[in-house]
Amino acid sequence: MTTEQQTTAPQTSTVHAVLVPGFWLGAWAWDGVAPVLRAAGVEPHALTLPGLDPGAPWPDATLDDQVAAVLDTVHACDGPVVLVAHSGGAVVAQVAVDRAPDAVRRVVYVDSGPLLPGLALAGPGEGDLPLPSWDELAAASTSAEGLDDAARADLRARAVPHPGAVARAVVDLRDPRRLAVPTTVVCTSFPSPLLQQLAAAGQMPTELLALTDVRYVDLPTGHWPMLSRPADLGRVLVEEMDGL
């Protein structure tokens, strides 16, 4: 075979998963998920957002600070990026996608979803938000199913009060192209039919109904699947990145 006849196999880019934790959590929350992604050839980037690192205090961290941290990581990746957001981290991811819709190939919301513009996750108040008691979380439909006593104790010991300025920030969305970014919702606390029913009935302040490409995946457990079913969540994420 001559040099001219030789063909070169197409080069494939590494898929990058930028992992955004929810309220009170840091990069450590993804420790059980990251190895599953690496084993599948996906490069994980687990983040501890500004204001949530006890070793690097960030007084008065804002939503813009957290969005900037996410986008810095997204733009530093040298291949397709999937943005994965858990719980309250969904707002950070949503705004990041709004600011750079061409930089994200898919966004995955884990027991969460995009908020309607002009709303905030927390009501008026002052100060940071500590992790509530388990009874308070249960009353707010935040299920700890799947977490044994040791996992609950570890979560509570490592939880950091969430920056109040972030929790109370009104979501400012500007670019309608965000609505066309392919989206996956991993339903863990509620089954996907119920989630879609609540959204359609206007009982959930979510922008999901405006998205043009969204699919739902059921992974029954509680609100923290990265802690209660990390390997299964990792496999779901790998499947959602297939073909990128």
Side-chain angles (χ1 to χ4, degrees), residues 201-229:
Q203 298 179 37
M204 185 174 291
T206 178
E207 200 176 45
L208 284 173
L209 297 177
L211 302 182
T212 61
D213 182 353
V214 59
R215 59 191 183 215
Y216 299 84
V217 178
D218 286 295
L219 183 65
T221 184
H223 182 60
W224 289 279
M226 68 282 290
L227 304 179
S228 60
R229 296 184 63 179

mmCIF file with all atom_site columns, all heavy atoms in Angstrom, residues 201-229:
data_model
loop_
_atom_site.group_PDB
_atom_site.id
_atom_site.type_symbol
_atom_site.label_atom_id
_atom_site.label_alt_id
_atom_site.label_comp_id
_atom_site.label_asym_id
_atom_site.label_entity_id
_atom_site.label_seq_id
_atom_site.pdbx_PDB_ins_code
_atom_site.Cartn_x
_atom_site.Cartn_y
_atom_site.Cartn_z
_atom_site.occupancy
_atom_site.B_iso_or_equiv
_atom_site.pdbx_formal_charge
_atom_site.auth_seq_id
_atom_site.auth_comp_id
_atom_site.auth_asym_id
_atom_site.auth_atom_id
_atom_site.pdbx_PDB_model_num
ATOM 1   N N   . ALA A 1 201 ? -48.992 21.107 34.540 1.00 0.00 ? 201 ALA A N   1
ATOM 2   C CA  . ALA A 1 201 ? -50.085 21.708 35.301 1.00 0.00 ? 201 ALA A CA  1
ATOM 3   C C   . ALA A 1 201 ? -49.690 23.043 35.921 1.00 0.00 ? 201 ALA A C   1
ATOM 4   O O   . ALA A 1 201 ? -50.499 23.670 36.615 1.00 0.00 ? 201 ALA A O   1
ATOM 5   C CB  . ALA A 1 201 ? -50.551 20.739 36.387 1.00 0.00 ? 201 ALA A CB  1
ATOM 6   N N   . GLY A 1 202 ? -48.476 23.469 35.701 1.00 0.00 ? 202 GLY A N   1
ATOM 7   C CA  . GLY A 1 202 ? -48.024 24.728 36.261 1.00 0.00 ? 202 GLY A CA  1
ATOM 8   C C   . GLY A 1 202 ? -47.715 24.666 37.741 1.00 0.00 ? 202 GLY A C   1
ATOM 9   O O   . GLY A 1 202 ? -47.616 25.705 38.402 1.00 0.00 ? 202 GLY A O   1
ATOM 10  N N   . GLN A 1 203 ? -47.544 23.456 38.283 1.00 0.00 ? 203 GLN A N   1
ATOM 11  C CA  . GLN A 1 203 ? -47.274 23.294 39.707 1.00 0.00 ? 203 GLN A CA  1
ATOM 12  C C   . GLN A 1 203 ? -45.783 23.239 40.001 1.00 0.00 ? 203 GLN A C   1
ATOM 13  O O   . GLN A 1 203 ? -45.382 23.016 41.150 1.00 0.00 ? 203 GLN A O   1
ATOM 14  C CB  . GLN A 1 203 ? -47.966 22.033 40.219 1.00 0.00 ? 203 GLN A CB  1
ATOM 15  C CG  . GLN A 1 203 ? -49.480 22.074 40.077 1.00 0.00 ? 203 GLN A CG  1
ATOM 16  C CD  . GLN A 1 203 ? -50.146 20.805 40.573 1.00 0.00 ? 203 GLN A CD  1
ATOM 17  O OE1 . GLN A 1 203 ? -49.722 20.222 41.558 1.00 0.00 ? 203 GLN A OE1 1
ATOM 18  N NE2 . GLN A 1 203 ? -51.187 20.384 39.880 1.00 0.00 ? 203 GLN A NE2 1
ATOM 19  N N   . MET A 1 204 ? -44.978 23.441 38.984 1.00 0.00 ? 204 MET A N   1
ATOM 20  C CA  . MET A 1 204 ? -43.526 23.433 39.139 1.00 0.00 ? 204 MET A CA  1
ATOM 21  C C   . MET A 1 204 ? -42.968 24.579 38.301 1.00 0.00 ? 204 MET A C   1
ATOM 22  O O   . MET A 1 204 ? -43.208 24.630 37.090 1.00 0.00 ? 204 MET A O   1
ATOM 23  C CB  . MET A 1 204 ? -42.960 22.090 38.684 1.00 0.00 ? 204 MET A CB  1
ATOM 24  C CG  . MET A 1 204 ? -41.477 21.909 38.897 1.00 0.00 ? 204 MET A CG  1
ATOM 25  S SD  . MET A 1 204 ? -40.984 20.217 38.483 1.00 0.00 ? 204 MET A SD  1
ATOM 26  C CE  . MET A 1 204 ? -41.765 19.310 39.816 1.00 0.00 ? 204 MET A CE  1
ATOM 27  N N   . PRO A 1 205 ? -42.249 25.521 38.913 1.00 0.00 ? 205 PRO A N   1
ATOM 28  C CA  . PRO A 1 205 ? -41.783 26.695 38.167 1.00 0.00 ? 205 PRO A CA  1
ATOM 29  C C   . PRO A 1 205 ? -40.540 26.385 37.328 1.00 0.00 ? 205 PRO A C   1
ATOM 30  O O   . PRO A 1 205 ? -39.437 26.827 37.624 1.00 0.00 ? 205 PRO A O   1
ATOM 31  C CB  . PRO A 1 205 ? -41.457 27.691 39.287 1.00 0.00 ? 205 PRO A CB  1
ATOM 32  C CG  . PRO A 1 205 ? -41.026 26.826 40.426 1.00 0.00 ? 205 PRO A CG  1
ATOM 33  C CD  . PRO A 1 205 ? -41.884 25.589 40.343 1.00 0.00 ? 205 PRO A CD  1
ATOM 34  N N   . THR A 1 206 ? -40.739 25.609 36.274 1.00 0.00 ? 206 THR A N   1
ATOM 35  C CA  . THR A 1 206 ? -39.614 25.143 35.480 1.00 0.00 ? 206 THR A CA  1
ATOM 36  C C   . THR A 1 206 ? -39.736 25.560 34.023 1.00 0.00 ? 206 THR A C   1
ATOM 37  O O   . THR A 1 206 ? -40.844 25.719 33.497 1.00 0.00 ? 206 THR A O   1
ATOM 38  C CB  . THR A 1 206 ? -39.491 23.614 35.560 1.00 0.00 ? 206 THR A CB  1
ATOM 39  O OG1 . THR A 1 206 ? -38.396 23.176 34.735 1.00 0.00 ? 206 THR A OG1 1
ATOM 40  C CG2 . THR A 1 206 ? -40.767 22.944 35.076 1.00 0.00 ? 206 THR A CG2 1
ATOM 41  N N   . GLU A 1 207 ? -38.578 25.703 33.387 1.00 0.00 ? 207 GLU A N   1
ATOM 42  C CA  . GLU A 1 207 ? -38.520 26.052 31.976 1.00 0.00 ? 207 GLU A CA  1
ATOM 43  C C   . GLU A 1 207 ? -38.501 24.809 31.077 1.00 0.00 ? 207 GLU A C   1
ATOM 44  O O   . GLU A 1 207 ? -38.365 24.910 29.854 1.00 0.00 ? 207 GLU A O   1
ATOM 45  C CB  . GLU A 1 207 ? -37.277 26.902 31.717 1.00 0.00 ? 207 GLU A CB  1
ATOM 46  C CG  . GLU A 1 207 ? -37.321 27.711 30.444 1.00 0.00 ? 207 GLU A CG  1
ATOM 47  C CD  . GLU A 1 207 ? -36.118 28.619 30.275 1.00 0.00 ? 207 GLU A CD  1
ATOM 48  O OE1 . GLU A 1 207 ? -34.979 28.173 30.510 1.00 0.00 ? 207 GLU A OE1 1
ATOM 49  O OE2 . GLU A 1 207 ? -36.325 29.792 29.904 1.00 0.00 ? 207 GLU A OE2 1
ATOM 50  N N   . LEU A 1 208 ? -38.687 23.642 31.678 1.00 0.00 ? 208 LEU A N   1
ATOM 51  C CA  . LEU A 1 208 ? -38.612 22.401 30.913 1.00 0.00 ? 208 LEU A CA  1
ATOM 52  C C   . LEU A 1 208 ? -39.563 22.375 29.723 1.00 0.00 ? 208 LEU A C   1
ATOM 53  O O   . LEU A 1 208 ? -39.228 21.862 28.653 1.00 0.00 ? 208 LEU A O   1
ATOM 54  C CB  . LEU A 1 208 ? -38.911 21.199 31.825 1.00 0.00 ? 208 LEU A CB  1
ATOM 55  C CG  . LEU A 1 208 ? -37.800 20.761 32.779 1.00 0.00 ? 208 LEU A CG  1
ATOM 56  C CD1 . LEU A 1 208 ? -38.310 19.676 33.715 1.00 0.00 ? 208 LEU A CD1 1
ATOM 57  C CD2 . LEU A 1 208 ? -36.588 20.273 31.995 1.00 0.00 ? 208 LEU A CD2 1
ATOM 58  N N   . LEU A 1 209 ? -40.755 22.927 29.890 1.00 0.00 ? 209 LEU A N   1
ATOM 59  C CA  . LEU A 1 209 ? -41.751 22.874 28.821 1.00 0.00 ? 209 LEU A CA  1
ATOM 60  C C   . LEU A 1 209 ? -41.333 23.679 27.596 1.00 0.00 ? 209 LEU A C   1
ATOM 61  O O   . LEU A 1 209 ? -41.851 23.457 26.499 1.00 0.00 ? 209 LEU A O   1
ATOM 62  C CB  . LEU A 1 209 ? -43.105 23.371 29.335 1.00 0.00 ? 209 LEU A CB  1
ATOM 63  C CG  . LEU A 1 209 ? -43.741 22.551 30.461 1.00 0.00 ? 209 LEU A CG  1
ATOM 64  C CD1 . LEU A 1 209 ? -45.029 23.205 30.924 1.00 0.00 ? 209 LEU A CD1 1
ATOM 65  C CD2 . LEU A 1 209 ? -43.996 21.121 30.007 1.00 0.00 ? 209 LEU A CD2 1
ATOM 66  N N   . ALA A 1 210 ? -40.407 24.606 27.764 1.00 0.00 ? 210 ALA A N   1
ATOM 67  C CA  . ALA A 1 210 ? -39.968 25.440 26.643 1.00 0.00 ? 210 ALA A CA  1
ATOM 68  C C   . ALA A 1 210 ? -38.795 24.834 25.884 1.00 0.00 ? 210 ALA A C   1
ATOM 69  O O   . ALA A 1 210 ? -38.440 25.327 24.813 1.00 0.00 ? 210 ALA A O   1
ATOM 70  C CB  . ALA A 1 210 ? -39.580 26.831 27.153 1.00 0.00 ? 210 ALA A CB  1
ATOM 71  N N   . LEU A 1 211 ? -38.201 23.769 26.424 1.00 0.00 ? 211 LEU A N   1
ATOM 72  C CA  . LEU A 1 211 ? -37.052 23.161 25.764 1.00 0.00 ? 211 LEU A CA  1
ATOM 73  C C   . LEU A 1 211 ? -37.495 22.395 24.521 1.00 0.00 ? 211 LEU A C   1
ATOM 74  O O   . LEU A 1 211 ? -38.560 21.778 24.501 1.00 0.00 ? 211 LEU A O   1
ATOM 75  C CB  . LEU A 1 211 ? -36.330 22.218 26.725 1.00 0.00 ? 211 LEU A CB  1
ATOM 76  C CG  . LEU A 1 211 ? -35.818 22.841 28.030 1.00 0.00 ? 211 LEU A CG  1
ATOM 77  C CD1 . LEU A 1 211 ? -35.090 21.791 28.859 1.00 0.00 ? 211 LEU A CD1 1
ATOM 78  C CD2 . LEU A 1 211 ? -34.904 24.021 27.749 1.00 0.00 ? 211 LEU A CD2 1
ATOM 79  N N   . THR A 1 212 ? -36.666 22.414 23.500 1.00 0.00 ? 212 THR A N   1
ATOM 80  C CA  . THR A 1 212 ? -37.032 21.763 22.239 1.00 0.00 ? 212 THR A CA  1
ATOM 81  C C   . THR A 1 212 ? -36.500 20.343 22.125 1.00 0.00 ? 212 THR A C   1
ATOM 82  O O   . THR A 1 212 ? -36.936 19.599 21.245 1.00 0.00 ? 212 THR A O   1
ATOM 83  C CB  . THR A 1 212 ? -36.512 22.579 21.046 1.00 0.00 ? 212 THR A CB  1
ATOM 84  O OG1 . THR A 1 212 ? -35.082 22.665 21.109 1.00 0.00 ? 212 THR A OG1 1
ATOM 85  C CG2 . THR A 1 212 ? -37.099 23.986 21.058 1.00 0.00 ? 212 THR A CG2 1
ATOM 86  N N   . ASP A 1 213 ? -35.559 19.953 22.987 1.00 0.00 ? 213 ASP A N   1
ATOM 87  C CA  . ASP A 1 213 ? -34.966 18.615 22.919 1.00 0.00 ? 213 ASP A CA  1
ATOM 88  C C   . ASP A 1 213 ? -34.673 18.157 24.334 1.00 0.00 ? 213 ASP A C   1
ATOM 89  O O   . ASP A 1 213 ? -33.614 18.441 24.897 1.00 0.00 ? 213 ASP A O   1
ATOM 90  C CB  . ASP A 1 213 ? -33.673 18.659 22.078 1.00 0.00 ? 213 ASP A CB  1
ATOM 91  C CG  . ASP A 1 213 ? -33.025 17.288 21.911 1.00 0.00 ? 213 ASP A CG  1
ATOM 92  O OD1 . ASP A 1 213 ? -33.487 16.312 22.542 1.00 0.00 ? 213 ASP A OD1 1
ATOM 93  O OD2 . ASP A 1 213 ? -32.040 17.182 21.145 1.00 0.00 ? 213 ASP A OD2 1
ATOM 94  N N   . VAL A 1 214 ? -35.635 17.464 24.942 1.00 0.00 ? 214 VAL A N   1
ATOM 95  C CA  . VAL A 1 214 ? -35.475 17.030 26.326 1.00 0.00 ? 214 VAL A CA  1
ATOM 96  C C   . VAL A 1 214 ? -35.961 15.597 26.465 1.00 0.00 ? 214 VAL A C   1
ATOM 97  O O   . VAL A 1 214 ? -36.960 15.203 25.853 1.00 0.00 ? 214 VAL A O   1
ATOM 98  C CB  . VAL A 1 214 ? -36.236 17.965 27.298 1.00 0.00 ? 214 VAL A CB  1
ATOM 99  C CG1 . VAL A 1 214 ? -37.714 18.015 26.974 1.00 0.00 ? 214 VAL A CG1 1
ATOM 100 C CG2 . VAL A 1 214 ? -36.013 17.545 28.740 1.00 0.00 ? 214 VAL A CG2 1
ATOM 101 N N   . ARG A 1 215 ? -35.215 14.819 27.223 1.00 0.00 ? 215 ARG A N   1
ATOM 102 C CA  . ARG A 1 215 ? -35.654 13.454 27.514 1.00 0.00 ? 215 ARG A CA  1
ATOM 103 C C   . ARG A 1 215 ? -35.487 13.180 29.003 1.00 0.00 ? 215 ARG A C   1
ATOM 104 O O   . ARG A 1 215 ? -34.706 13.845 29.685 1.00 0.00 ? 215 ARG A O   1
ATOM 105 C CB  . ARG A 1 215 ? -34.896 12.436 26.676 1.00 0.00 ? 215 ARG A CB  1
ATOM 106 C CG  . ARG A 1 215 ? -33.388 12.416 26.837 1.00 0.00 ? 215 ARG A CG  1
ATOM 107 C CD  . ARG A 1 215 ? -32.777 11.545 25.751 1.00 0.00 ? 215 ARG A CD  1
ATOM 108 N NE  . ARG A 1 215 ? -31.339 11.411 25.852 1.00 0.00 ? 215 ARG A NE  1
ATOM 109 C CZ  . ARG A 1 215 ? -30.540 11.322 24.816 1.00 0.00 ? 215 ARG A CZ  1
ATOM 110 N NH1 . ARG A 1 215 ? -31.049 11.370 23.590 1.00 0.00 ? 215 ARG A NH1 1
ATOM 111 N NH2 . ARG A 1 215 ? -29.243 11.166 24.955 1.00 0.00 ? 215 ARG A NH2 1
ATOM 112 N N   . TYR A 1 216 ? -36.232 12.194 29.477 1.00 0.00 ? 216 TYR A N   1
ATOM 113 C CA  . TYR A 1 216 ? -36.292 11.894 30.900 1.00 0.00 ? 216 TYR A CA  1
ATOM 114 C C   . TYR A 1 216 ? -35.804 10.476 31.150 1.00 0.00 ? 216 TYR A C   1
ATOM 115 O O   . TYR A 1 216 ? -36.130 9.555  30.399 1.00 0.00 ? 216 TYR A O   1
ATOM 116 C CB  . TYR A 1 216 ? -37.727 12.055 31.410 1.00 0.00 ? 216 TYR A CB  1
ATOM 117 C CG  . TYR A 1 216 ? -38.273 13.458 31.258 1.00 0.00 ? 216 TYR A CG  1
ATOM 118 C CD1 . TYR A 1 216 ? -38.831 13.874 30.046 1.00 0.00 ? 216 TYR A CD1 1
ATOM 119 C CD2 . TYR A 1 216 ? -38.223 14.365 32.305 1.00 0.00 ? 216 TYR A CD2 1
ATOM 120 C CE1 . TYR A 1 216 ? -39.322 15.167 29.893 1.00 0.00 ? 216 TYR A CE1 1
ATOM 121 C CE2 . TYR A 1 216 ? -38.720 15.658 32.162 1.00 0.00 ? 216 TYR A CE2 1
ATOM 122 C CZ  . TYR A 1 216 ? -39.267 16.046 30.947 1.00 0.00 ? 216 TYR A CZ  1
ATOM 123 O OH  . TYR A 1 216 ? -39.743 17.332 30.795 1.00 0.00 ? 216 TYR A OH  1
ATOM 124 N N   . VAL A 1 217 ? -35.029 10.324 32.217 1.00 0.00 ? 217 VAL A N   1
ATOM 125 C CA  . VAL A 1 217 ? -34.510 9.020  32.617 1.00 0.00 ? 217 VAL A CA  1
ATOM 126 C C   . VAL A 1 217 ? -34.865 8.809  34.082 1.00 0.00 ? 217 VAL A C   1
ATOM 127 O O   . VAL A 1 217 ? -34.618 9.684  34.920 1.00 0.00 ? 217 VAL A O   1
ATOM 128 C CB  . VAL A 1 217 ? -32.988 8.935  32.430 1.00 0.00 ? 217 VAL A CB  1
ATOM 129 C CG1 . VAL A 1 217 ? -32.466 7.583  32.911 1.00 0.00 ? 217 VAL A CG1 1
ATOM 130 C CG2 . VAL A 1 217 ? -32.598 9.176  30.975 1.00 0.00 ? 217 VAL A CG2 1
ATOM 131 N N   . ASP A 1 218 ? -35.446 7.654  34.386 1.00 0.00 ? 218 ASP A N   1
ATOM 132 C CA  . ASP A 1 218 ? -35.814 7.354  35.768 1.00 0.00 ? 218 ASP A CA  1
ATOM 133 C C   . ASP A 1 218 ? -34.704 6.572  36.465 1.00 0.00 ? 218 ASP A C   1
ATOM 134 O O   . ASP A 1 218 ? -34.194 5.583  35.933 1.00 0.00 ? 218 ASP A O   1
ATOM 135 C CB  . ASP A 1 218 ? -37.110 6.551  35.814 1.00 0.00 ? 218 ASP A CB  1
ATOM 136 C CG  . ASP A 1 218 ? -38.324 7.407  35.500 1.00 0.00 ? 218 ASP A CG  1
ATOM 137 O OD1 . ASP A 1 218 ? -38.606 8.322  36.293 1.00 0.00 ? 218 ASP A OD1 1
ATOM 138 O OD2 . ASP A 1 218 ? -38.974 7.181  34.468 1.00 0.00 ? 218 ASP A OD2 1
ATOM 139 N N   . LEU A 1 219 ? -34.337 7.031  37.665 1.00 0.00 ? 219 LEU A N   1
ATOM 140 C CA  . LEU A 1 219 ? -33.372 6.342  38.517 1.00 0.00 ? 219 LEU A CA  1
ATOM 141 C C   . LEU A 1 219 ? -33.902 6.439  39.949 1.00 0.00 ? 219 LEU A C   1
ATOM 142 O O   . LEU A 1 219 ? -33.509 7.318  40.715 1.00 0.00 ? 219 LEU A O   1
ATOM 143 C CB  . LEU A 1 219 ? -31.986 6.991  38.394 1.00 0.00 ? 219 LEU A CB  1
ATOM 144 C CG  . LEU A 1 219 ? -30.854 6.329  39.186 1.00 0.00 ? 219 LEU A CG  1
ATOM 145 C CD1 . LEU A 1 219 ? -30.576 4.926  38.672 1.00 0.00 ? 219 LEU A CD1 1
ATOM 146 C CD2 . LEU A 1 219 ? -29.590 7.180  39.135 1.00 0.00 ? 219 LEU A CD2 1
ATOM 147 N N   . PRO A 1 220 ? -34.816 5.556  40.311 1.00 0.00 ? 220 PRO A N   1
ATOM 148 C CA  . PRO A 1 220 ? -35.494 5.685  41.607 1.00 0.00 ? 220 PRO A CA  1
ATOM 149 C C   . PRO A 1 220 ? -34.536 5.591  42.792 1.00 0.00 ? 220 PRO A C   1
ATOM 150 O O   . PRO A 1 220 ? -33.808 4.620  42.958 1.00 0.00 ? 220 PRO A O   1
ATOM 151 C CB  . PRO A 1 220 ? -36.473 4.496  41.602 1.00 0.00 ? 220 PRO A CB  1
ATOM 152 C CG  . PRO A 1 220 ? -36.638 4.138  40.162 1.00 0.00 ? 220 PRO A CG  1
ATOM 153 C CD  . PRO A 1 220 ? -35.311 4.420  39.519 1.00 0.00 ? 220 PRO A CD  1
ATOM 154 N N   . THR A 1 221 ? -34.527 6.631  43.598 1.00 0.00 ? 221 THR A N   1
ATOM 155 C CA  . THR A 1 221 ? -33.779 6.701  44.848 1.00 0.00 ? 221 THR A CA  1
ATOM 156 C C   . THR A 1 221 ? -34.181 8.013  45.491 1.00 0.00 ? 221 THR A C   1
ATOM 157 O O   . THR A 1 221 ? -35.260 8.539  45.188 1.00 0.00 ? 221 THR A O   1
ATOM 158 C CB  . THR A 1 221 ? -32.256 6.597  44.609 1.00 0.00 ? 221 THR A CB  1
ATOM 159 O OG1 . THR A 1 221 ? -31.576 6.580  45.866 1.00 0.00 ? 221 THR A OG1 1
ATOM 160 C CG2 . THR A 1 221 ? -31.718 7.730  43.763 1.00 0.00 ? 221 THR A CG2 1
ATOM 161 N N   . GLY A 1 222 ? -33.351 8.586  46.349 1.00 0.00 ? 222 GLY A N   1
ATOM 162 C CA  . GLY A 1 222 ? -33.690 9.870  46.953 1.00 0.00 ? 222 GLY A CA  1
ATOM 163 C C   . GLY A 1 222 ? -33.077 11.035 46.197 1.00 0.00 ? 222 GLY A C   1
ATOM 164 O O   . GLY A 1 222 ? -32.734 10.928 45.011 1.00 0.00 ? 222 GLY A O   1
ATOM 165 N N   . HIS A 1 223 ? -32.915 12.130 46.915 1.00 0.00 ? 223 HIS A N   1
ATOM 166 C CA  . HIS A 1 223 ? -32.471 13.373 46.295 1.00 0.00 ? 223 HIS A CA  1
ATOM 167 C C   . HIS A 1 223 ? -30.971 13.397 45.995 1.00 0.00 ? 223 HIS A C   1
ATOM 168 O O   . HIS A 1 223 ? -30.521 14.230 45.222 1.00 0.00 ? 223 HIS A O   1
ATOM 169 C CB  . HIS A 1 223 ? -32.819 14.541 47.222 1.00 0.00 ? 223 HIS A CB  1
ATOM 170 C CG  . HIS A 1 223 ? -32.460 15.885 46.679 1.00 0.00 ? 223 HIS A CG  1
ATOM 171 N ND1 . HIS A 1 223 ? -32.987 16.375 45.508 1.00 0.00 ? 223 HIS A ND1 1
ATOM 172 C CD2 . HIS A 1 223 ? -31.609 16.838 47.152 1.00 0.00 ? 223 HIS A CD2 1
ATOM 173 C CE1 . HIS A 1 223 ? -32.488 17.581 45.267 1.00 0.00 ? 223 HIS A CE1 1
ATOM 174 N NE2 . HIS A 1 223 ? -31.647 17.883 46.238 1.00 0.00 ? 223 HIS A NE2 1
ATOM 175 N N   . TRP A 1 224 ? -30.217 12.485 46.591 1.00 0.00 ? 224 TRP A N   1
ATOM 176 C CA  . TRP A 1 224 ? -28.760 12.490 46.414 1.00 0.00 ? 224 TRP A CA  1
ATOM 177 C C   . TRP A 1 224 ? -28.292 11.196 45.737 1.00 0.00 ? 224 TRP A C   1
ATOM 178 O O   . TRP A 1 224 ? -27.590 10.385 46.350 1.00 0.00 ? 224 TRP A O   1
ATOM 179 C CB  . TRP A 1 224 ? -28.073 12.671 47.769 1.00 0.00 ? 224 TRP A CB  1
ATOM 180 C CG  . TRP A 1 224 ? -28.235 14.039 48.344 1.00 0.00 ? 224 TRP A CG  1
ATOM 181 C CD1 . TRP A 1 224 ? -27.527 15.165 48.027 1.00 0.00 ? 224 TRP A CD1 1
ATOM 182 C CD2 . TRP A 1 224 ? -29.172 14.453 49.338 1.00 0.00 ? 224 TRP A CD2 1
ATOM 183 N NE1 . TRP A 1 224 ? -27.959 16.248 48.761 1.00 0.00 ? 224 TRP A NE1 1
ATOM 184 C CE2 . TRP A 1 224 ? -28.966 15.840 49.584 1.00 0.00 ? 224 TRP A CE2 1
ATOM 185 C CE3 . TRP A 1 224 ? -30.163 13.781 50.065 1.00 0.00 ? 224 TRP A CE3 1
ATOM 186 C CZ2 . TRP A 1 224 ? -29.719 16.556 50.511 1.00 0.00 ? 224 TRP A CZ2 1
ATOM 187 C CZ3 . TRP A 1 224 ? -30.919 14.498 50.979 1.00 0.00 ? 224 TRP A CZ3 1
ATOM 188 C CH2 . TRP A 1 224 ? -30.691 15.873 51.199 1.00 0.00 ? 224 TRP A CH2 1
ATOM 189 N N   . PRO A 1 225 ? -28.624 10.983 44.471 1.00 0.00 ? 225 PRO A N   1
ATOM 190 C CA  . PRO A 1 225 ? -28.255 9.718  43.807 1.00 0.00 ? 225 PRO A CA  1
ATOM 191 C C   . PRO A 1 225 ? -26.757 9.522  43.661 1.00 0.00 ? 225 PRO A C   1
ATOM 192 O O   . PRO A 1 225 ? -26.286 8.390  43.556 1.00 0.00 ? 225 PRO A O   1
ATOM 193 C CB  . PRO A 1 225 ? -28.932 9.828  42.439 1.00 0.00 ? 225 PRO A CB  1
ATOM 194 C CG  . PRO A 1 225 ? -29.056 11.299 42.198 1.00 0.00 ? 225 PRO A CG  1
ATOM 195 C CD  . PRO A 1 225 ? -29.334 11.894 43.555 1.00 0.00 ? 225 PRO A CD  1
ATOM 196 N N   . MET A 1 226 ? -25.977 10.612 43.657 1.00 0.00 ? 226 MET A N   1
ATOM 197 C CA  . MET A 1 226 ? -24.520 10.462 43.580 1.00 0.00 ? 226 MET A CA  1
ATOM 198 C C   . MET A 1 226 ? -23.954 9.843  44.840 1.00 0.00 ? 226 MET A C   1
ATOM 199 O O   . MET A 1 226 ? -22.829 9.341  44.853 1.00 0.00 ? 226 MET A O   1
ATOM 200 C CB  . MET A 1 226 ? -23.837 11.804 43.282 1.00 0.00 ? 226 MET A CB  1
ATOM 201 C CG  . MET A 1 226 ? -23.922 12.814 44.401 1.00 0.00 ? 226 MET A CG  1
ATOM 202 S SD  . MET A 1 226 ? -25.527 13.616 44.491 1.00 0.00 ? 226 MET A SD  1
ATOM 203 C CE  . MET A 1 226 ? -25.443 14.605 43.011 1.00 0.00 ? 226 MET A CE  1
ATOM 204 N N   . LEU A 1 227 ? -24.747 9.847  45.916 1.00 0.00 ? 227 LEU A N   1
ATOM 205 C CA  . LEU A 1 227 ? -24.349 9.220  47.168 1.00 0.00 ? 227 LEU A CA  1
ATOM 206 C C   . LEU A 1 227 ? -25.055 7.887  47.385 1.00 0.00 ? 227 LEU A C   1
ATOM 207 O O   . LEU A 1 227 ? -24.473 6.961  47.948 1.00 0.00 ? 227 LEU A O   1
ATOM 208 C CB  . LEU A 1 227 ? -24.653 10.156 48.348 1.00 0.00 ? 227 LEU A CB  1
ATOM 209 C CG  . LEU A 1 227 ? -24.028 11.558 48.285 1.00 0.00 ? 227 LEU A CG  1
ATOM 210 C CD1 . LEU A 1 227 ? -24.441 12.379 49.500 1.00 0.00 ? 227 LEU A CD1 1
ATOM 211 C CD2 . LEU A 1 227 ? -22.508 11.489 48.174 1.00 0.00 ? 227 LEU A CD2 1
ATOM 212 N N   . SER A 1 228 ? -26.308 7.787  46.951 1.00 0.00 ? 228 SER A N   1
ATOM 213 C CA  . SER A 1 228 ? -27.081 6.565  47.199 1.00 0.00 ? 228 SER A CA  1
ATOM 214 C C   . SER A 1 228 ? -26.932 5.529  46.081 1.00 0.00 ? 228 SER A C   1
ATOM 215 O O   . SER A 1 228 ? -26.955 4.325  46.348 1.00 0.00 ? 228 SER A O   1
ATOM 216 C CB  . SER A 1 228 ? -28.566 6.902  47.391 1.00 0.00 ? 228 SER A CB  1
ATOM 217 O OG  . SER A 1 228 ? -29.100 7.538  46.236 1.00 0.00 ? 228 SER A OG  1
ATOM 218 N N   . ARG A 1 229 ? -26.753 5.983  44.831 1.00 0.00 ? 229 ARG A N   1
ATOM 219 C CA  . ARG A 1 229 ? -26.584 5.051  43.696 1.00 0.00 ? 229 ARG A CA  1
ATOM 220 C C   . ARG A 1 229 ? -25.537 5.621  42.728 1.00 0.00 ? 229 ARG A C   1
ATOM 221 O O   . ARG A 1 229 ? -25.835 5.843  41.551 1.00 0.00 ? 229 ARG A O   1
ATOM 222 C CB  . ARG A 1 229 ? -27.925 4.825  42.970 1.00 0.00 ? 229 ARG A CB  1
ATOM 223 C CG  . ARG A 1 229 ? -28.988 4.151  43.819 1.00 0.00 ? 229 ARG A CG  1
ATOM 224 C CD  . ARG A 1 229 ? -30.261 3.873  43.027 1.00 0.00 ? 229 ARG A CD  1
ATOM 225 N NE  . ARG A 1 229 ? -30.044 2.936  41.931 1.00 0.00 ? 229 ARG A NE  1
ATOM 226 C CZ  . ARG A 1 229 ? -30.994 2.513  41.091 1.00 0.00 ? 229 ARG A CZ  1
ATOM 227 N NH1 . ARG A 1 229 ? -32.244 2.964  41.240 1.00 0.00 ? 229 ARG A NH1 1
ATOM 228 N NH2 . ARG A 1 229 ? -30.717 1.673  40.132 1.00 0.00 ? 229 ARG A NH2 1
#
